[in-house]
Amino acid sequence: MNLRVVRSRRRQPAGARPPGDAGEAGGTPSAGASRTGQAAGQAGTFEAAWADERTLLVRKTLRCGQEVRYPGNVVVLGDVNAGARVVAGGDVIVVGALRGLAHAGAMDTPGAVVYAHRLQATQLRIGPTVARSPDRPGGAPDADRRSAAQGPEIARLRDGMVVIEPFPAPPGGGG
Amino acid sequence: MDGPTAIVITSGKGGVGKTTLTANLGTGLALLGKRTVLVDADIGLRNLDVVLGLENRIVFDIVDVVDGFCRLKQALIKDKRFEGLHLLPAAQTKDKSAVSPEQMERLCKELKQEFDVVLIDSPAGIEQGFRNAVAGADAAVIVTTPDVAAVRDADRIIGLLEAEGLGEPRLVVNRVRTDLVRRGEMMDVDDVVDILAVDLLGFVPEDERVVIATNRGEPAIMRQDSPAAQAMRDISRRLAGEAVPLAETAPPGFWSRLRRVLGLGAG
């Protein structure tokens, strides 16, 4: 099992732009259902409420081109498909497959994590740090194949790097 | 199928086989005794008439109808080979803005008074042409190939259809290359269904006989020697409301799964 780790660090991640940039940052959020729309609507409070403990429950699969932004935590009951993105001030929990982009701790909330039942993200951002999926030799469509799926995993920052580990940690294993 | 239905066939990406599938499924439905009309919503890039071999019979088109230059009946082309199959051709000299979503809605309503099934062939893309095509539809069929880019676009389209109130589209995975799937170099049908998470209406194996028939302007669905034709006949019957099990021959994912089980996969 290959541990997918970060290669790059950025001080100014694209997801953490000021609220005014929200629309420009992520394609067209208009495609989302009303719930998504509400989340986008709250982007105005984004910066002030970085320590927000509220949680947004998204009861659908986020598809390519759809985006959810929320100052607190985001729980997705469904998949986050490639081309979709979730930006949260707090944690991002995906009870399904995460194939798109997730940004947790977007306002530099300390200790933010990304959890997914199947973590196959194109790109993970935690706070100011960006991690991308490993390059695929020969462009084999591994990320789109179920065979690439493993158990639930959690991604968090450790010493400035995004570290992905099985969750819960295997007995006796320990990171 | 209860009562007349308008079904849009759409994909997002171009070149995945929407038009060929529309022509064949329409023929299949007509052969099942459904009064069927095919609507070419790809205004400015009309193809459906060519694929059906009816190009030389076009007098009026969809824009003439919505603009009131002719009556609907005058624009409809009856396919003499297949009882009950009709075509409403697109205009070639106009563009997508020549028709509005409201006009399409009205047109589909009118067509449903005459026909059991209205099959709308959507243009590629997510702009006005797509919005026109879905405006009058009661249901949607998503066509994709097992290519990463096509699946990505199909996913986007499903999201857009939800916003249009066509929340439960059904999926056709087209042009499945069993040889590539077997070698693990193409997604199998289950992979695609796993990503898109919508009901599978069927999958069609790649078959050059379909390409050849399409170039000749005759539907391939009649052919008895073609697995693709068999698959499309099954899809027509499912569209008509029959319960037809998915192909019992080894599904495309069978060998790759077997290899995975045996630990021979490249992991």
Side-chain angles (χ1 to χ4, degrees), chain B residues 150-226:
Chain B
V151 172
R152 192 69 51 88
D153 289 0
D155 190 49
R156 179 102 167 85
I157 287 287
I158 295 168
L160 294 174
L161 287 173
E162 278 169 13
E164 296 273 347
L166 292 169
E168 288 174 14
R170 287 175 290 175
L171 179 71
V172 173
V173 184
N174 202 15
R175 311 193 74 161
V176 178
R177 297 269 305 266
T178 35
D179 51 336
L180 290 183
V181 170
R182 220 168 275 159
R183 295 206 300 267
E185 294 184 287
M186 184 178 240
M187 279 187 269
D188 67 34
V189 174
D190 293 344
D191 289 326
V192 178
V193 172
D194 184 53
I195 290 172
L196 297 179
V198 291
D199 284 345
L200 181 67
L201 193 58
F203 64 89
V204 183
E206 171 81 69
D207 187 345
E208 62 179 27
R209 278 163 288 209
V210 176
V211 179
I212 294 165
T214 302
N215 283 334
R216 285 192 192 138
E218 36 187 67
I221 196 164
M222 313 280 298
R223 299 190 63 135
Q224 295 300 319
D225 59 347
S226 160

Side-chain angles (χ1 to χ4, degrees), chain B residues 97-115:
Chain B
S97 59
V99 175
S100 73
E102 295 71 36
Q103 288 172 320
M104 277 301 281
E105 225 177 305
R106 230 173 300 137
L107 179 67
C108 288
K109 211 167 274 175
E110 199 176 335
L111 284 168
K112 279 193 283 184
Q113 290 168 4
E114 300 287 322
F115 295 95

Side-chain angles (χ1 to χ4, degrees), chain A residues 13-41:
Chain A
R17 283 182 193 154
D21 282 3
E24 178 258 322
T28 51
S30 60
S34 58
R35 188 177 292 270
T36 315
Q38 287 161 14

Side-chain angles (χ1 to χ4, degrees), chain A:
Chain A
M1 188 182 302
N2 52 336
L3 193 65
R4 285 161 285 164
V5 208
V6 195
R7 288 72 190 263
S8 63
R9 271 185 91 177
R10 273 168 65 186
R11 283 278 149 224
Q12 189 65 47
R17 283 182 193 154
D21 282 3
E24 178 258 322
T28 51
S30 60
S34 58
R35 188 177 292 270
T36 315
Q38 287 161 14
Q42 292 178 10
T45 58
F46 203 84
E47 197 145 20
W50 59 269
D52 203 316
E53 282 301 311
R54 286 176 301 169
T55 297
L56 174 74
L57 187 59
V58 180
R59 288 175 187 272
K60 58 173 238 171
T61 287
L62 292 175
R63 299 186 180 275
C64 182
Q66 298 179 333
E67 179 180 65
V68 168
R69 289 174 161 254
Y70 192 68
N73 308 303
V74 176
V75 177
V76 180
L77 291 180
D79 300 339
V80 176
N81 278 354
R85 62 162 80 193
V86 178
V87 180
D91 298 339
V92 176
I93 313 289
V94 180
V95 189
L98 169 56
R99 305 185 182 95
L101 185 152
H103 189 171
M107 297 315 294
D108 288 352
T109 318
V113 301
V114 174
Y115 163 93
H117 215 70
R118 279 157 55 188
L119 209 165
Q120 301 165 271
T122 327
Q123 203 183 85
L124 281 177
R125 299 179 186 170
I126 299 183
T129 310
V130 178
R132 57 183 167 79
S133 61
D135 290 327
R136 298 176 245 139
D142 281 345
D144 291 305
R145 299 194 67 113
R146 287 159 305 136
S147 52
Q150 297 154 0
E153 289 177 306
I154 192 164
R156 61 186 128 211
L157 273 189
R158 211 167 267 169
D159 301 327
M161 303 233 293
V162 175
V163 180
I164 299 169
E165 295 162 322
F167 186 89

